[in-house]
Amino acid sequence: MRHYPTNSPEAIGRVLAIAMMADGAVDSSELAVLAGKDIIKRIGLDPDRFDRVFYEYYADLLSTAHRQPNGQLELDGGVIGHLFDEIRDPDLQKLALRSILDIVNADRQLNGREARLVAQAFQHWEIERHEVPDASLPGRHRLPLPKTAEIH
């Protein structure tokens, strides 16, 4: 995996790309969340730079990931941990984690790979659930966090 400067918008953008690809494909609801919550702008990227970071991540994924029996590509937890290490500022970690939660909840179906990614982010960054504000819109129901993601 290529290296981005610590706390850079690109480092955060790559973490979001990981979340988008965690279930094996980018869903239109994930793209709608990115646009509707202005996530790309909030992390400091414009759409073209985010697209470049996403495609760089995908190229790196193709060359470094493990191919699962079902054909999906998966990074091991150690590699993801190194990528999480590029975001060290606690406020940026919380912004990234809030955005990850919005992305994995976009299709209203939390699969095992997404749940593991969320749990790893909470644990790696030593963030507790109450530290990540709920950014859902009034009247919207959100999926609960997986039990493994709640760090006490």
Side-chain angles (χ1 to χ4, degrees):
M1 288 280 159
R2 69 194 73 219
H3 170 72
Y4 292 118
T6 300
N7 297 325
S8 68
E10 290 81 8
I12 300 169
R14 176 173 44 207
V15 168
L16 302 186
I18 293 169
M20 293 172 71
M21 291 296 296
D23 62 0
V26 176
D27 187 87
S28 62
S29 61
E30 295 167 344
L31 297 174
V33 163
L34 285 177
K37 296 189 179 222
D38 213 13
I39 291 173
I40 294 171
K41 183 178 177 183
R42 287 177 52 217
I43 65 168
L45 293 175
D46 61 51
D48 289 337
R49 282 177 56 206
F50 179 76
D51 287 348
R52 184 172 50 245
V53 169
F54 182 88
Y55 290 115
E56 289 171 350
Y57 166 69
Y58 191 71
D60 291 346
L61 182 68
L62 289 172
S63 65
T64 61
H66 306 286
R67 186 168 302 277
Q68 300 300 306
N70 65 4
Q72 288 186 330
L73 299 171
E74 187 170 0
L75 291 175
D76 68 42
V79 172
I80 293 172
H82 288 300
L83 302 179
F84 284 164
D85 283 341
E86 290 186 348
I87 306 169
R88 295 195 182 142
D89 178 271
D91 290 332
L92 293 177
Q93 291 170 345
K94 290 172 189 161
L95 172 62
L97 188 47
R98 172 74 267 152
S99 301
I100 290 169
L101 289 168
D102 289 337
I103 290 167
V104 301
N105 283 319
D107 64 2
R108 323 256 325 131
Q109 298 177 18
L110 188 67
N111 75 20
R113 291 171 65 187
E114 291 170 325
R116 284 190 300 276
L117 178 66
V118 169
Q120 184 175 359
F122 271 104
Q123 185 172 26
H124 189 88
W125 288 326
E126 298 179 352
I127 297 174
E128 297 208 20
R129 176 62 182 108
H130 67 87
E131 297 179 272
V132 182
D134 187 356
S136 63
L137 300 173
R140 277 187 78 181
H141 301 287
R142 300 190 58 78
L143 291 171
L145 289 173
K147 298 251 187 265
T148 57
E150 294 180 87
I151 309 278
H152 298 285

